[in-house]
Amino acid sequence: MPPAPVARQAVVLAESLGEGWNVQAAARMHVTLAITKDFAAGYPADVASALETMGGRIASAPVAILLDRLSIGTESVALRPGKAIAGLTNLHRAIRREWAGTAVPWRSDWTFSPHMTLGYGREHRPVVRPIEGLGWDATELVLIHSKVGQTRHRTLGRWPLKAAQFELF
């Protein structure tokens, strides 16, 4: 999740695109690194517990994020990186490795493509263009329960991203 000032900048950018967008609230801005399948009858406690345990085992240094491409699709608008961000890719791989040891169902139709969704709309002409960009250092991994179709998020856990410590003796 970006720090509050960056999230507010993202909202301002989305609002500057004009009418026709349901702009995300600043508090909901995030870059998705992994996602479970959807659960129609609420989020199972065992899934949340497994993900919380897994989150505590993920090791990664903080990640410098720069989203410098505005990507307008037919139904959404997002910010994307103009080039691969190795730290995000490595963090995603670490999550996948830990996830493999659980019974938690991964969303089968989802692939990792770093972006931050700014809003949703309908029938927009697809465009991708460079922008000045929004950047921040991601210093924590956040586990979010997204209430499908309700535009609500609940934070289940947070873990700091720390550079590896080396022992001298």
Side-chain angles (χ1 to χ4, degrees):
M1 298 178 77
V6 175
R8 286 191 297 273
Q9 284 180 295
V11 169
V12 169
L13 174 61
E15 289 172 342
S16 76
L17 298 174
E19 297 292 318
W21 295 108
N22 180 13
V23 177
Q24 294 255 59
R28 294 188 69 233
M29 297 289 177
H30 66 279
V31 175
T32 301
L33 293 164
I35 193 166
T36 67
K37 76 171 203 161
D38 291 340
F39 296 94
Y43 214 65
D46 61 329
V47 169
S49 178
L51 292 173
E52 289 172 25
T53 299
M54 185 182 78
R57 293 193 308 248
I58 304 294
S60 172
V63 177
I65 296 175
L66 176 63
L67 303 176
D68 58 356
R69 295 290 181 268
L70 181 67
S71 177
I72 299 174
T74 56
E75 296 183 4
S76 66
V77 60
L79 293 177
R80 297 180 180 278
K83 61 181 182 175
I85 300 173
L88 274 182
T89 301
N90 292 337
L91 182 53
H92 169 73
R93 287 178 182 153
I95 291 168
R96 285 299 297 243
R97 280 191 303 274
E98 288 295 331
W99 198 306
T102 73
V104 176
W106 188 269
R107 184 181 288 172
S108 62
D109 64 344
W110 185 83
T111 56
F112 178 60
S113 176
H115 67 280
M116 184 167 68
T117 301
L118 301 178
Y120 297 94
R122 294 245 181 248
E123 300 178 20
H124 293 277
R125 184 175 58 90
V127 174
V128 176
R129 71 172 191 245
I131 62 167
E132 183 175 318
L134 297 178
W136 72 95
D137 288 332
T139 58
E140 64 181 354
L141 177 64
V142 182
L143 176 59
I144 298 170
H145 174 197
S146 176
K147 306 260 186 178
V148 178
Q150 298 180 31
T151 64
R152 291 186 4 219
H153 284 171
R154 184 173 61 125
T155 299
L156 300 178
R158 292 177 179 269
W159 300 272
L161 299 176
K162 298 184 243 181
Q165 298 292 318
F166 297 100
E167 293 186 24
L168 296 176
F169 305 100

